[in-house]
Each structure stands twice: as C-alpha cells, then as structure tokens.
C-alpha cells in the first residue's frame, strides 16, 4: 500500500493517530538523547499531495525536548503530528515506524473505557512499585503484558531460558484466569448457563483491562478457544479445530497480526496445550498427584510448541529451557490470579493491592528470578565446557596430524 512505499522512502508526512499503550521512556546518555516509544493506530495520513484514512498499527517515537509532552499523554489520546516514516523489523506486526518531528497536537482525550483501563494498569504498576527491581517489572508483564518495567538484562535472561512466551499476553493468561474463576464458581454452587455467563463476563473484563495492548485481541480469541474446548470437552483435534477457526478469523479481521511474533507465540502455545497437555497430564497422573502432573505438563507443552519461534528470536536453542519452564510454569498460575486481583483492588486501595502484588511476586517472581540466574549460569558454563572440549579435541587432532 501507499504507507509501505512512503516508509521505504523515509517520507515526512502528517498523521492522525490514537495512542494504544505500552509507552516506554529511555533515559538519555552522553551520546543519545532521551527517547519515548509507544504503539499507536493510524486514523489518517496526509503527505505528498495525498490524504487517506488508515487503521494500520505503527510505533510512534519522539526524542529530545519533545519527550516531556509525549510522555504525559495517556493511552487512548488522539493526536496529530508530523513524522518521518521508517521500515519496521520483520515480525513486529507494524506497518511503519514514525518518528515525531515536534510536540503533539491533541485532537481528543481518551474515552471513558481507555481512561478506566489506564487507571487500572497504572494501579497495578503502583502496587508493584515497592517490590524488588526484577519483580516489579515481572508482575505487570506476566499479568497484562506490560513489559515497560523489564530491563534489558531481565529480557535477555528470559530469551536465554526460553521463557519469552510468559511475558506475551496470550490465551494462556486468560485460560488461567478462567480456570480460577470456574473452580471458585463451581465451589460456590454456580452451574450451567450461569457458569457460562460468568466465564463470558470474565473474558470481557480481561479484554477491558488489557484493551491498550495489541496482543489482547489474540489473547481473547485464544482464551475463547480454551473456553469452548473446556465447555465441550474439546481436546486434541477438536480443540485444534477451534484454534484454527480463531486464527483464521483474527487474520481476516486484522491481516497485520500475521506478522506479529507475539501472535505466533500465542497460537503455538495454545496449540501445544490443546494437543499435548491433556495427554501428558494423564500419563504423569499415574505416578504423581493430578495437580502436579498438570503443573508439569502444561509448561512443557507450551515450551515445546513455542521452541522453534523462541529459537528464531534468540538465535539459539536453550539447553535449560525445558527445565526453566518446568520450574516457572507451576508458579505462573498463582502470579496471574493474584496479579489480576491486585489490578482490580488497586482502583479502590493501592496499599491493599500492594499486598496482592507482593503475593503475586512471591509466587513466581522472586523465586523465578533467582532460578533464571541459576539456569543462565548453567547454560553459560555448559557452553563454555563444550567450547573448551572442542578446542582440546581440535588441538589433539592437529598435534597428531603434525606428528604424522
């Protein structure tokens, strides 16, 4: 389309866009100015004598003195600004990169839904602010996919250990929440259509909470796949049929999503859960308690299904990825549930939500962060041993050739 041609040419155009959340600010250095990044959806583009409407996703950025004006804008704000377009990296699911040339002109403030979502997300960040350095970034990432608090070191450790899929809002997040709500409702005596309706309301609440993230659309679809499979006993081929229909519908509604690595992670993780998790749980349940069998089988199935994509992202095969997922997997469920409760309570009381956020961090984050350090060091030491062994073997071979 015309936007792609303009991006390849590095054209300067005027755009109308709506900020979609996930804003990040990077501190300036001696050689680089302060920078701001945010996902946005275009509504209109004008340049080179033409103008047209567009709904394409872009990454909007600003540097220098303009950062102050941009960082003050909440998600859902409609803006107009002159930008220089660029070509995004493959797999980002973006139509273009747009670097702002000046401060924004605000066209409209956030709507009531966007304002409510931002309030809840900000409340979760505030409730997690008192936790440890890694933990305060992990809790929002695991719950709503807000990775703005994760530093480069933690991101690298997640890639090294094959845990990247945990920080992408996926159907697994929603399935965990639905499972908790379903168990609680059944114990409270809720059955039949009332139970189905309650689960549907939970899906709507999940989407409303995470509305600012582009990945929420795919997460809701994947969660509905799990809900449909759960309600009909769908496993294996039947569950994959539901998944295929959901994927086809999403791609037809938003073709750009097919380029998103997060979408690929979400789909493959859901496929792994539908195809392998149930079978492996039954096998493991012969020797272990059912809860332990499911806690081990679910992360292993997700890890195996997503491993080819994780390998493509990181450029390596994690030697300890399965072990890391086996350790972290059983802890993700409690963290997700406690995190959602913390987000909801934060609207009423941040101190009370801080207790739930502490529980969410206590389950996976503090323990998981230490284990990440361990497994990363194990992988590094293992690779170093392999390298030394190869060098020694090569040296012996060269010595023998020289003697002969």
């Amino acid at each position: 389309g015309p936007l792609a041609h303009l991006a390849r040419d590095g054209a300067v155009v005027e755009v109308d866009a709506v900020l979609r959340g996930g804003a990040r600010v990077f501190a300036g250095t001696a050689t680089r100015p302060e920078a701001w990044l945010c996902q946005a959806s275009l509504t209109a583009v004008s340049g080179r004598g033409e103008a047209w409407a567009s709904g394409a996703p872009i990454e909007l950025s600003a540097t220098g003195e303009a950062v102050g004006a941009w960082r003050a804008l909440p998600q859902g704000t409609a803006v107009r600004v002159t930008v220089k377009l660029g070509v995004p990296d493959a797999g980002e699911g973006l139509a273009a990169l747009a670097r702002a040339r000046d401060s924004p002109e605000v066209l409209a403030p956030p709507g009531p839904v966007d304002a409510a979502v931002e309030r809840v997300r900000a409340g979760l960040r505030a409730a997690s602010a008192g936790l440890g350095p890694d933990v305060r970034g992990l809790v929002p990432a695991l719950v709503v996919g807000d990775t703005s608090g994760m530093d480069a070191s933690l991101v690298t450790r997640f890639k090294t250990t094959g845990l990247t899929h945990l920080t992408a809002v996926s159907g697994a997040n929603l399935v965990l929440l639905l499972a908790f709500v379903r168990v609680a409702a059944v114990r409270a005596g809720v059955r039949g259509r009332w139970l189905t309706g309650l689960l549907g309301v939970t899906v709507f609440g999940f989407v409303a909470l995470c509305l600012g993230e582009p990945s929420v659309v795919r997460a809701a679809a994947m969660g509905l796949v799990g809900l449909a499979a759960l309600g009909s006993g769908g496993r294996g081929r039947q569950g994959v049929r539901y998944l295929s229909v959901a994927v086809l519908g999403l791609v037809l509604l938003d073709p750009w999503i097919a380029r998103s690595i997060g979408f690929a992670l979400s789909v493959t993780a859901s496929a792994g859960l539908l195809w392998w998790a149930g079978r492996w749980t039954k096998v493991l349940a012969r020797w272990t308690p059912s809860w332990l069998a499911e806690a081990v089988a679910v992360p292993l199935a997700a890890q195996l299904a997503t491993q080819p994509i994780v390998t493509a992202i990181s450029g390596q095969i994690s030697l300890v990825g399965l072990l890391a997922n086996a350790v972290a997997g059983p802890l993700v469920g409690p963290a997700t549930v406690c995190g959602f409760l913390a987000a909801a309570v934060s609207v009423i009381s941040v101190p009370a939500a801080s207790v739930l956020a502490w529980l969410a961090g206590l389950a996976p984050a503090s323990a998981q962060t230490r284990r990440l350090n361990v497994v990363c060091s194990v992988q590094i030491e293992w690779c170093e041993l392999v390298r030394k062994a190869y060098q020694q073997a090569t040296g012996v071979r060269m010595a023998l050739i020289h003697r002969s």
Side-chain angles (χ1 to χ4, degrees):
L3 187 62
H5 291 292
L6 292 173
R8 284 194 293 269
D9 294 342
V12 175
V13 299
E14 185 179 73
V15 300
D16 294 352
V18 178
L19 304 184
R20 291 304 183 191
R24 304 184 68 178
V25 176
F26 300 89
T29 64
T31 58
R32 185 182 61 189
E34 186 180 25
W36 172 90
L37 294 176
C38 183
Q39 302 291 317
S41 296
L42 291 175
T43 55
V45 182
S46 59
R48 296 186 175 180
E50 298 182 3
W52 66 93
S54 174
I58 63 171
E59 182 181 80
L60 190 59
S61 65
T63 57
E65 298 179 355
V67 170
W70 284 101
R71 71 188 304 175
L73 298 177
Q75 69 175 29
T77 303
V79 298
R80 175 175 293 162
V81 65
T82 300
V83 301
K84 180 178 176 60
L85 298 177
V87 179
D89 294 334
E92 291 186 349
L94 300 172
L97 303 179
R99 181 174 179 179
R101 309 273 310 239
D102 48 29
S103 298
E105 175 189 349
V106 176
L107 301 179
V113 175
D114 286 319
V117 167
E118 177 58 24
R119 182 182 177 187
V120 175
R121 291 170 65 89
L124 179 59
R125 292 193 294 268
S128 305
L131 304 178
D134 286 343
V135 182
R136 72 169 67 104
L138 273 175
V139 171
L142 291 173
V143 176
V144 294
D146 184 357
T147 59
S148 59
M150 294 180 64
D151 59 27
S153 174
L154 187 58
V155 171
T156 299
R157 280 180 279 161
F158 264 72
K159 289 182 178 179
T160 301
T161 52
L163 296 174
T164 308
H165 62 91
L166 295 182
T167 61
V169 176
S170 66
N173 296 67
L174 184 53
V175 169
L176 288 170
L177 184 62
L178 289 173
F180 171 78
V181 172
R182 184 176 185 275
V183 170
V186 169
R187 291 187 177 181
V190 180
R191 298 288 193 280
R193 295 181 178 177
W194 288 102
L195 177 59
T196 303
L198 178 61
L199 295 178
V201 170
T202 302
V203 174
F204 177 80
F206 176 85
V207 173
L209 174 61
C210 307
L211 188 60
E213 294 293 328
S215 59
V216 172
V217 175
R218 67 170 184 266
M222 299 302 106
L224 288 173
V225 169
L227 178 60
L230 183 67
S232 63
R235 291 279 188 179
R237 294 182 179 179
Q238 185 176 3
V240 172
R241 290 193 193 101
Y242 290 128
L243 178 63
S244 300
V245 172
V247 170
L248 180 60
L250 284 174
V251 173
L252 289 175
L253 289 173
D254 183 10
W256 287 104
I257 204 172
R259 300 180 59 187
S260 170
I261 292 177
F263 177 62
L265 286 171
S266 183
V267 172
T268 52
S270 299
L273 296 179
L274 290 170
W275 192 257
W276 290 315
R279 304 177 187 180
W280 293 356
T281 298
K282 291 179 181 179
V283 173
L284 292 175
R286 299 173 184 174
W287 303 283
T288 62
S290 58
W291 64 269
L292 179 59
E294 186 170 358
V296 172
V298 168
L300 290 182
Q303 167 66 17
L304 182 61
T306 58
Q307 185 58 59
I309 300 174
V310 173
T311 300
I313 296 172
S314 62
Q316 63 183 2
I317 298 177
S318 175
L319 301 176
V320 290
L322 290 176
L323 175 61
N325 273 272
V327 172
L331 304 174
V332 172
T336 300
V337 173
C338 290
F340 274 111
L341 292 176
V345 173
S346 68
V347 179
I348 303 172
S349 172
V350 172
S354 298
V355 177
L356 291 168
W358 177 78
L359 291 174
L362 184 65
S366 58
Q368 180 176 313
T369 301
R370 291 194 292 268
R371 285 171 173 80
L372 278 173
N373 291 328
V374 172
V375 296
C376 285
S377 63
V378 168
Q379 174 153 315
I380 292 171
E381 291 174 3
W382 173 256
C383 291
E384 184 66 15
L385 287 174
V386 173
R387 183 186 65 81
K388 290 181 178 179
Y390 175 78
Q391 288 180 342
Q392 291 175 0
T394 304
V396 171
R397 181 182 178 188
M398 293 300 295
L400 291 175
I401 293 174
H402 179 73
R403 290 178 183 178
S404 62

